[in-house]
Amino acid sequence: MRYVRFLKTPRVVAEKSTSRNEVCCLVTITSDLGDFFLPYDIELSAELLGCAGPKEYVLVWKTVQWTGGMRSLSIAIPLSKTQQSWAGLRVRVGAGPKRTHDDYASLSEQDARGVVSAWSATFAPNVEAQKLVERRFKPPQGPISGIWEETGESIARHLWDAGIALSCHLVELTNKNTELSKALLPPVVSSPLRVLELGTGCGMVGITLAQTIADARVTLTDLPEAREIVQRNIDTASRAKGASLVFQELDWDTEIPLQLQKSLKHLALVVAADCTYNPDSSPALVNTLSRLAKMSSGVIIAVAMKMRHSSEEIFFDLMAAAGFQETSKIMFPLPGDEEIGEEIVYLHVYKYATCS
């Protein structure tokens, strides 16, 4: 997949040589890590939205052209005096005009190029948009999920391919006969279902679980620098009936805090997405998974990953050495530049050997 990113967030500026104003921003289209640019041409829709409470209205829209070989694209949208009176303005940039969300399945269509749209934070004539971007996904048969991420360089506060792919398939858990349900849910699902996510980043996977499973108790964990963006997404997230969401700090290089241990009794599921890209962190990740498995007998471990380089294979060796057995492996083909499946996310499901 590719992502529209704001290199410069939207702001209102005066047009040169005129008294009129316009909204300007600078975008790029890259991979989740930002290491590859979209090498193909694509026509994008750039839209100025007026915000009235939770509702948004398209005030102006225009098409802009991304050309293969580009590294950035400057966008300017005219702003009338009437439009300046709106209390809040936003900019959306993405494939297809006047869309309120990205349909995950539609990202695989050839003209879409797997490009994920970007919605800016609100701004006003004298207030530049925060360095944030909202993604809005609609999985098959599931509700629209809006998740904020940062526009900066911190990889801890960005959305990644594996987390999005897994999240957009979690609606399958509502049908006990799907492959995903059989892999992730225990034969007898207790209520409440207790779930912990490691390396949550922006929180998308754990939040989607809480939106999908009634009475789920979902704990999102990561390093302290992730707290602000995760809490923003928790605060704006809907929940299934009786479900709860909470964030707690967890460093894989330290023991699990006592406060967190107390909340993890009868843990049924541990999930992690995009957490194996750095092989140097794999020993700490596996040690943490081992501690959790010993604390909660029978817990299911699910790790979603897009293999980026062969050094990540150390994770599988460490899991085997720690006594974990793979019980299932599910494939999620990703929307690609030209066709679906150019890259693949795999969900590896484990149980601790003594719990099988």
Side-chain angles (χ1 to χ4, degrees), residues 285-301:
L285 171 59
V286 174
N287 286 338
T288 299
L289 291 172
S290 297
R291 296 188 192 109
L292 293 169
K294 291 171 183 177
M295 287 171 48
S296 298
S297 177
V299 67
I300 295 170
I301 309 290

Side-chain angles (χ1 to χ4, degrees), residues 166 169-186 269 300 302 326-333 345-349:
L166 175 57
H169 284 84
L170 287 175
V171 68
E172 296 173 20
L173 294 179
T174 58
N175 181 348
K176 65 180 181 180
N177 295 317
T178 63
E179 181 183 16
L180 192 62
S181 286
K182 293 176 181 178
L184 296 191
L185 300 179
L269 175 64
I300 295 170
E326 188 172 79
T327 58
S328 185
K329 181 180 177 181
I330 301 175
M331 180 176 72
F332 301 133
V345 167
Y346 287 99
L347 181 66
H348 300 270
V349 184

Side-chain angles (χ1 to χ4, degrees), residues 1-2 40 113 333-344:
M1 290 191 293
R2 306 285 180 166
Y40 296 96
R113 300 288 189 192
L334 286 171
D337 291 347
E338 295 186 277
E339 61 183 9
I340 189 170
E342 294 172 356
E343 295 181 303
I344 295 173

Side-chain angles (χ1 to χ4, degrees), residues 95-289:
K98 303 180 181 180
R99 294 182 179 176
T100 59
H101 60 272
D102 285 333
D103 185 277
Y104 183 73
S106 296
L107 293 177
S108 298
E109 296 174 358
Q110 187 172 12
D111 60 348
R113 300 288 189 192
V115 171
V116 177
S117 301
W119 282 261
S120 76
T122 56
F123 62 96
N126 297 316
V127 181
E128 187 173 339
Q130 290 180 275
K131 296 186 183 302
L132 296 170
V133 60
E134 186 184 18
R135 311 292 185 183
R136 301 175 183 175
F137 295 99
K138 172 80 169 61
Q141 294 89 44
I144 297 171
S145 178
I147 298 290
W148 291 93
E149 63 172 331
E150 293 188 358
T151 60
E153 297 299 322
S154 172
I155 58 176
R157 299 185 287 273
H158 277 312
L159 292 176
W160 289 29
D161 288 354
I164 293 172
L166 175 57
S167 297
C168 288
H169 284 84
L170 287 175
V171 68
E172 296 173 20
L173 294 179
T174 58
N175 181 348
K176 65 180 181 180
N177 295 317
T178 63
E179 181 183 16
L180 192 62
S181 286
K182 293 176 181 178
L184 296 191
L185 300 179
V188 178
V189 180
S190 59
S191 184
L193 183 79
R194 300 187 183 277
V195 182
L196 179 136
E197 183 183 4
L198 296 174
T200 190
C202 298
M204 183 173 183
V205 174
I207 288 171
T208 305
L209 281 165
Q211 292 174 327
T212 304
I213 303 174
D215 297 316
R217 301 288 184 268
V218 183
T219 301
L220 311 179
T221 67
D222 210 318
L223 296 173
E225 53 262 35
R227 176 181 288 277
E228 183 177 356
I229 194 69
V230 176
Q231 195 61 55
R232 181 186 183 106
N233 285 322
I234 287 176
D235 292 344
T236 57
S238 62
R239 294 158 176 75
K241 183 178 180 180
S244 66
L245 281 164
V246 65
F247 174 81
Q248 294 197 35
E249 295 175 11
L250 177 60
D251 186 338
W252 301 342
D253 288 315
T254 63
E255 293 295 323
I256 297 173
L258 287 176
Q259 181 182 2
L260 183 56
Q261 288 186 36
K262 292 177 183 178
S263 67
L264 297 182
K265 291 181 180 179
H266 310 297
L267 189 63
L269 175 64
V270 174
V271 294
D274 299 300
C275 289
T276 60
Y277 66 95
N278 180 4
D280 293 338
S281 67
S282 287
L285 171 59
V286 174
N287 286 338
T288 299
L289 291 172

